[in-house]
Amino acid sequence: MSAVQTFKATAHLQEGVKVKTSSRNFEIIIDEPQSLGGTDTGMNPVEVLLASLGACQSIVARVYAPKFGIKLDDFQVEVEGDIDLDGFFNRSEIRPGYSDIRYTFRIKTDSPKAKVEEFVKFLESKCPVGDTLANPVNLKLVNVVIENSIQV
């Protein structure tokens, strides 16, 4: 019996570069700042990616802290990444994605430092988003559906 679970999401382009994304019963509006042609009504896709990494690490921390005997009084992740926009704007052959992503854990706890360090090492190894970013994933377009617009 396999433990593989398939997660799904949709992205529906709205006016301009605003996108309404949904998964299960939840929606997130993703947009670009005005400086990149958007209306600044939401985080942009690469900001959502950073936020997803921090959220995933936070959830893993909450789930596994008790197993390590760590009492989390507070846990916060600060995430930043570098993108050369020349790749996105097709001005050079540089890749359009992040070249570097850095994060800092801010952990408020009374637990001993050695125990926290062991916990952090484990935490980094169990975050699905971090693993997906750090390792190649099979990414492929499986279909293109072309619908004709009916002109009235």
Side-chain angles (χ1 to χ4, degrees):
M1 185 166 152
S2 175
V4 173
Q5 183 169 347
T6 300
F7 293 88
K8 297 180 179 185
T10 60
H12 188 182
L13 185 63
Q14 307 294 296
E15 65 280 350
V17 294
K18 184 193 285 187
V19 179
K20 182 168 50 172
T21 64
S22 60
S23 183
R24 295 184 291 134
N25 298 316
F26 303 98
E27 287 186 354
I28 297 175
I29 296 297
I30 298 177
D31 198 358
E32 290 286 347
Q34 290 180 341
S35 63
L36 293 174
T39 56
D40 207 21
T41 58
M43 289 188 277
N44 71 19
V46 294
E47 291 166 332
V48 172
L49 181 72
L50 296 179
S52 293
L53 174 61
C56 186
Q57 291 167 326
S58 298
I59 291 167
V60 173
R62 176 68 75 209
V63 169
Y64 283 102
K67 292 172 176 52
F68 280 81
I70 304 282
K71 181 175 176 280
L72 292 179
D73 295 319
D74 195 30
F75 187 89
Q76 184 174 338
V77 185
E78 297 168 359
V79 190
E80 65 181 16
D82 303 325
I83 291 180
D84 186 330
L85 291 179
D86 281 352
F88 172 72
F89 289 117
N90 204 31
R91 293 190 288 243
S92 77
E93 292 299 312
I94 195 156
R95 61 182 292 225
Y98 282 112
S99 59
D100 295 279
I101 295 176
R102 297 168 298 282
Y103 53 92
T104 299
F105 292 156
R106 295 199 177 277
I107 305 170
K108 187 174 182 182
T109 184
D110 293 333
S111 301
K113 185 178 181 186
K115 189 180 262 196
V116 172
E117 288 172 348
E118 179 187 2
F119 168 63
V120 165
K121 186 174 181 183
F122 179 84
L123 160 61
E124 287 188 292
S125 76
K126 291 301 171 201
C127 172
V129 175
D131 177 75
T132 301
L133 290 170
N135 297 290
V137 63
N138 297 320
L139 178 66
K140 66 180 177 181
L141 176 65
V142 293
N143 202 355
V144 175
V145 177
I146 300 173
E147 300 173 354
N148 289 326
S149 297
I150 298 174
Q151 302 293 327
V152 180

